[in-house]
Amino acid sequence: MSIFRLLASRILFSALTLLLVSILIFLILEALPGDVATRILGREATAKALEVLRSQLHLDQPALVRYFQWLGDFLRGDLGTSIATGRPIADVLGPRIVNTLLLSLFAFALYIVLALVPAIIQAVNRGKTIDNVISVITLLLLSLPDFLLATMLLFLFAVAVPILPALATISENSTWQEMLRAMVLPAVTLAIMMAVYAIRVLRDSLIEVLRSDYVRLAELKGLRPRAVLFRHALPNAIVPALNVTALNLGFLIGGVVIVERVFSYPGFGTLLIDALQLRDIPLIKATVMISAAVYVAANLVADVLAVLLQPRLRTSR
């Protein structure tokens, strides 16, 4: 029952967080100077056009009424209509979310490999040359902004050695081979930027676990070093890295905006930038709320998994 209480409390806390985010988004957009309709249509818009847009955005109603109306529609799945395109926001978001989801899954798969392999090598060879070399490389990559790393990879593999496309443009008619080839550079960029944060945490955690009594007991029982590492040490060492992974998922939401822009990838991040440039208020609200929901859900999953995977935390809770 304690696990269920923990899960219920985390879900409630996540719901309250999203509620505060929705209030903050609404207040920020309300606090922008000038008339919303005039900002969207421009100063040359006719009075009739401004009146129609104000009615469409419910600007003729009090702010509190508009907030609860927008929140209720959002909870029912009605995201509204895009001002820029005149299409339902759900139809606009659908293909972009699918594209970003594919890119994120590709990047996350690469991230697991790029985080686990160097961390294990460092922990097993603690204090040796290979440990120091990987630490230096990780520190250098950690100091690079994501847009700079993306530009460097773009120049290296699309200009200097043109084996990958410079623009990650895909469409509904693209084959799986074309889509994978187009996603390689943005996915590698995202995976590297996430992995450099996790490698150090996982390395230190793994070294600590390898020094523990139960690992030494497993070694005294005659288990092979590989079995001790992967069956006893690694599962317990991964737990501290789960929080870093959750933060990396949060970075994936923000980092994908920049990376998609650099590689012209038609995803969720590019749509968010376009919405900001076009001052598409309903689309901005929807994209920011979805981003916040993904970030909060990632932290919720990481917190629950940390408790489920480590008996000591379950006992303390």
Side-chain angles (χ1 to χ4, degrees), residues 47-261:
K48 183 64 176 178
L50 292 174
E51 183 181 353
V52 170
L53 182 58
R54 291 191 184 101
S55 177
Q56 180 182 352
L57 298 178
H58 307 289
L59 296 176
D60 51 348
Q61 298 178 3
L64 188 62
V65 174
R66 283 187 281 116
Y67 168 74
F68 282 107
Q69 185 175 12
W70 166 68
L71 183 61
D73 291 340
F74 184 85
L75 294 176
R76 289 192 298 269
D78 182 8
L79 303 180
T81 303
S82 171
I83 298 174
T85 62
R87 298 169 55 198
I89 292 178
D91 295 342
V92 177
L93 282 174
R96 299 299 189 98
I97 290 178
V98 171
N99 291 343
T100 295
L101 183 61
L102 291 174
L103 177 62
S104 300
L105 290 175
F106 191 8
F108 195 74
L110 294 175
Y111 156 74
I112 293 175
V113 177
L114 293 177
L116 282 177
V117 174
I120 292 174
I121 293 175
Q122 284 187 281
V124 174
N125 299 277
R126 181 172 60 92
K128 297 182 181 179
T129 304
I130 185 65
D131 182 22
N132 297 328
V133 170
I134 295 177
S135 296
V136 172
I137 294 175
T138 303
L139 183 60
L140 291 176
L141 291 174
L142 189 62
S143 63
L144 288 178
D146 44 8
F147 72 90
L148 181 57
L149 178 62
T151 305
M152 292 171 60
L153 292 176
L154 181 65
F155 175 79
L156 181 60
F157 294 105
V159 179
V161 185
I163 58 176
L164 293 171
L167 300 179
T169 54
I170 60 175
S171 64
E172 297 178 355
N173 300 323
S174 300
T175 63
W176 280 103
Q177 293 82 359
E178 293 173 343
M179 293 177 64
L180 286 175
R181 192 166 181 268
M183 288 190 296
V184 168
L185 283 180
V188 169
T189 303
L190 291 171
I192 291 175
M193 296 306 298
M194 291 189 299
V196 293
Y197 289 96
I199 289 173
R200 187 69 184 181
V201 174
L202 187 56
R203 170 196 176 273
D204 295 342
S205 177
L206 193 55
I207 290 175
E208 181 181 355
V209 171
L210 288 173
R211 293 174 174 174
S212 61
D213 294 335
Y214 65 88
V215 170
R216 292 177 180 175
L217 179 61
E219 292 173 346
L220 291 175
K221 288 182 177 180
L223 293 179
R224 287 189 244 177
R226 181 176 299 180
V228 173
L229 176 63
F230 289 100
R231 188 180 302 173
H232 296 278
L234 190 58
N236 289 281
I238 286 178
V239 174
L242 286 176
N243 291 330
V244 179
T245 301
L247 294 175
N248 279 330
L249 290 176
F251 163 79
L252 196 60
I253 299 171
V256 77
V257 175
I258 300 174
V259 173
E260 285 183 359
R261 199 65 173 178

Side-chain angles (χ1 to χ4, degrees), residues 18-24 26-27 30 62-73 285:
L18 289 177
L19 179 63
L20 292 176
V21 170
S22 69
I23 295 174
L24 186 61
F26 188 84
L27 291 177
E30 285 290 314
L64 188 62
V65 174
R66 283 187 281 116
Y67 168 74
F68 282 107
Q69 185 175 12
W70 166 68
L71 183 61
D73 291 340
K285 291 179 180 178

